[in-house]
Amino acid sequence: MVRYADDFVIACAKGQGERMTERLKKWLQAKGLTLNEAKTRLVNIRQEGINFLGFNMTWRKSFKGQGYLHVEPSQKSRRSLREKLGGILNHWTQGRSIQDAVEDINRVLRGWASYFHYGNSVTVMNRMKHYSQTRFRRWLWRKHACRRSLWTHYPTEQLHTRYGLYELPTTAKWKAAQ
């Protein structure tokens, strides 16, 4: 284990939870550590999901009927991203230069994408990509006191090419960039 590992999940077969917990307690005790009983719990992932380190984990069935562990950014993590973008793109910040705002937005989006682009995050990434584009588009629209259509005046492609807004990756784009 990493020296500062204080959060972890052990996934095991049905009915093995208690046995694995006891094995873990013995292993930790041999290392001079103890398990925090107040924070430790056994969960049947097939019946209830868990939130762990910003991810939501639930058991789902694929289109072929096979079960799998579905891992995506939690609602709290998504809300946190929306709040950070809201702090950068609001009516109090309309006096900032577009370049400064885009640098701050891109820093937040890149960090969020790097951490949360794991598991089954494509749908969430697409939603958050759309949210960030719309939020930036509205900020530009208000900054320039536009009267024309929001969507035609600031098309999506222009947000990325002209202004340099980071685009949250889809799976194919993410793998190609790595």
Side-chain angles (χ1 to χ4, degrees):
M1 288 182 62
V2 180
R3 180 177 171 167
Y4 299 104
D6 58 357
D7 294 312
F8 57 92
V9 171
I10 297 176
C12 57
K14 187 175 181 179
Q16 298 294 315
E18 286 90 14
R19 192 173 72 104
M20 291 303 292
T21 302
E22 290 306 314
R23 284 184 64 191
L24 176 62
K25 285 179 185 177
K26 288 178 185 176
W27 187 85
L28 289 171
Q29 188 176 19
K31 307 284 185 209
L33 303 169
T34 59
L35 190 63
N36 184 338
E37 297 290 337
K39 294 174 78 177
T40 302
R41 63 187 182 119
L42 294 176
V43 176
N44 183 342
I45 198 74
R46 293 173 193 261
Q47 295 175 352
E48 66 177 295
I50 61 169
N51 287 319
F52 182 71
L53 298 177
F55 289 93
N56 177 261
M57 299 175 194
T58 55
W59 190 260
R60 295 192 183 172
K61 291 219 179 217
S62 70
F63 292 116
K64 295 180 181 180
Q66 296 175 337
Y68 72 98
L69 183 62
H70 185 86
V71 180
E72 67 182 18
S74 68
Q75 288 291 337
K76 186 176 177 182
S77 300
R78 295 180 225 180
R79 184 173 43 252
S80 174
L81 176 60
R82 288 190 299 268
E83 288 171 358
K84 286 178 185 175
L85 292 175
I88 298 168
L89 301 171
N90 60 58
H91 66 278
W92 292 292
T93 64
Q94 289 176 357
R96 295 181 71 191
S97 74
I98 294 170
Q99 183 180 355
D100 287 346
V102 168
E103 285 176 9
D104 288 348
I105 295 165
N106 288 350
R107 188 173 13 264
V108 169
L109 291 177
R110 277 192 189 100
W112 202 84
S114 294
Y115 183 79
F116 287 107
H117 203 279
Y118 171 82
N120 316 95
S121 63
V122 174
T123 302
V124 172
M125 286 291 170
N126 282 330
R127 287 182 189 149
M128 299 313 290
K129 176 174 71 173
H130 178 73
Y131 178 84
S132 63
Q133 291 167 345
T134 302
R135 186 78 192 220
F136 182 55
R137 183 180 284 120
R138 287 182 189 277
W139 184 81
L140 286 170
W141 193 71
R142 289 182 179 126
K143 178 179 180 61
H144 295 131
C146 291
R147 297 191 188 275
R148 290 180 272 169
S149 171
L150 174 68
W151 298 96
T152 55
H153 196 65
Y154 297 106
T156 301
E157 183 179 315
Q158 191 179 75
L159 299 177
H160 304 292
T161 57
R162 180 175 177 192
Y163 298 107
L165 181 67
Y166 177 75
E167 184 175 359
L168 286 172
T170 61
T171 303
K173 288 182 182 179
W174 183 260
K175 289 180 180 175
Q178 298 302 324

